[in-house]
Amino acid sequence: MEITIPENLNEITIQQYNDYQKATKGKTNQDYIDRKTVEIFCNINQGIRDVDFSKFDEAVNIITKALNQEAKFQSTFTMNGTTYGFIPDLEAISLGEKIDLDKYLSDEDMFHRAMAVMYRPITFKKNSLYQIEKYEGSAKFADEMLNAPLGVFQGAMVFFYHLTNDLLKATLPYLEEEIQKTLQHEDNSGASGDGIRQSSQLLMATLRDLTKLQS
């Protein structure tokens, strides 16, 4: 049986990744995992037993390497003749986009909907600048995004990771300094200082939350 083996993340779709995650979640049998790897990522609906063993073994190794590749951010990508662009100005993101993105990124079954928030068809482009369709909800492009390249999605996650990391690098030292100042002021005042204590507790809670976010 001739099979087509994906060699990089952009040759793997979000739908395939979702199917793989569901099929192998909680499984420890490596033979079963390898079979599902080849079946899902090589689009073999039946007849996996007819695949030459050496080709099967090669496919497992190639796909595993592809899944472990480091994704790079891609501001645009083309699928089925349509070019999609990443939100060009995150500072101008709408409340609806923000709420939906937070919700969908926390659920691996909804990654295609997160893609439908982050990437939409380009309506105007000049040099490196472009505009995308106005956000009308994730449902509009959710089905299309099931076939979007996994590499594009993971690259967007890398982008958000670095963005968050840069923000935390600036924020955490400031919070730690403010906590020390607040605690020192409380000690020097010699009073119970309910307002000061509440302020200190709020700063510490914020620091804990940001540290979790960094993880």
Side-chain angles (χ1 to χ4, degrees), residues 12-25:
I12 294 172
T13 68
I14 291 177
Q15 178 70 76
Q16 288 175 317
Y17 183 74
N18 286 347
D19 292 343
Y20 173 75
Q21 291 290 86
K22 291 176 182 177
T24 60
K25 187 174 183 178

Side-chain angles (χ1 to χ4, degrees), residues 67-79:
L67 290 172
N68 289 325
Q69 286 176 353
E70 182 178 350
K72 295 182 179 180
F73 175 67
Q74 301 172 62
S75 59
T76 65
F77 73 98
T78 300
M79 180 175 63

Side-chain angles (χ1 to χ4, degrees), residues 5-191:
I5 307 171
E7 297 182 353
N8 60 69
L9 288 172
N10 282 345
E11 294 178 2
I12 294 172
T13 68
I14 291 177
Q15 178 70 76
Q16 288 175 317
Y17 183 74
N18 286 347
D19 292 343
Y20 173 75
Q21 291 290 86
K22 291 176 182 177
T24 60
K25 187 174 183 178
K27 304 296 183 182
T28 58
N29 186 304
Q30 192 59 49
D31 289 337
Y32 172 84
I33 294 174
D34 289 346
R35 285 200 306 275
K36 286 300 178 183
T37 298
V38 177
E39 283 179 353
I40 293 171
F41 294 118
C42 295
N43 294 313
I44 301 176
N45 296 322
Q46 57 184 359
I48 186 69
R49 296 172 70 88
D50 295 329
V51 176
D52 182 81
F53 178 74
S54 61
K55 192 69 174 178
F56 174 86
D57 201 39
E58 177 188 11
V60 171
N61 291 331
I62 292 175
I63 295 169
T64 300
K65 288 180 180 179
L67 290 172
N68 289 325
Q69 286 176 353
E70 182 178 350
K72 295 182 179 180
F73 175 67
Q74 301 172 62
S75 59
T76 65
F77 73 98
T78 300
M79 180 175 63
N80 298 328
T82 300
T83 300
Y84 296 84
F86 187 79
I87 298 172
D89 185 3
L90 285 176
E91 290 187 1
I93 190 172
S94 70
L95 178 61
E97 288 172 300
K98 173 69 167 58
I99 291 173
D100 287 351
L101 195 56
D102 287 344
K103 178 172 62 177
Y104 297 141
L105 287 178
S106 64
D107 184 351
E108 63 184 22
D109 291 334
M110 295 294 171
F111 284 168
H112 62 297
R113 287 189 173 271
M115 278 290 291
V117 180
M118 295 185 292
Y119 289 88
R120 298 193 291 280
I122 291 178
T123 57
F124 174 80
K125 190 175 191 302
K126 185 175 181 180
N127 300 324
S128 61
L129 302 177
Y130 60 83
Q131 294 177 345
I132 60 176
E133 281 193 20
K134 183 179 178 181
Y135 186 60
E136 299 176 9
S138 64
K140 187 172 183 179
F141 299 108
D143 290 343
E144 286 91 334
M145 289 303 176
L146 283 170
N147 295 315
L150 179 63
V152 175
F153 173 77
Q154 290 193 351
M157 294 303 94
V158 170
F159 171 81
F160 279 123
Y161 168 78
H162 288 300
L163 189 68
T164 303
N165 219 29
D166 290 342
L167 176 64
L168 290 174
K169 284 180 181 178
T171 305
L172 289 176
Y174 168 77
L175 280 175
E176 290 171 347
E177 182 178 347
E178 288 300 304
I179 289 172
Q180 292 302 320
K181 287 181 180 179
T182 303
L183 291 175
Q184 184 176 7
H185 182 67
E186 183 180 353
D187 290 339
N188 292 338
S189 68

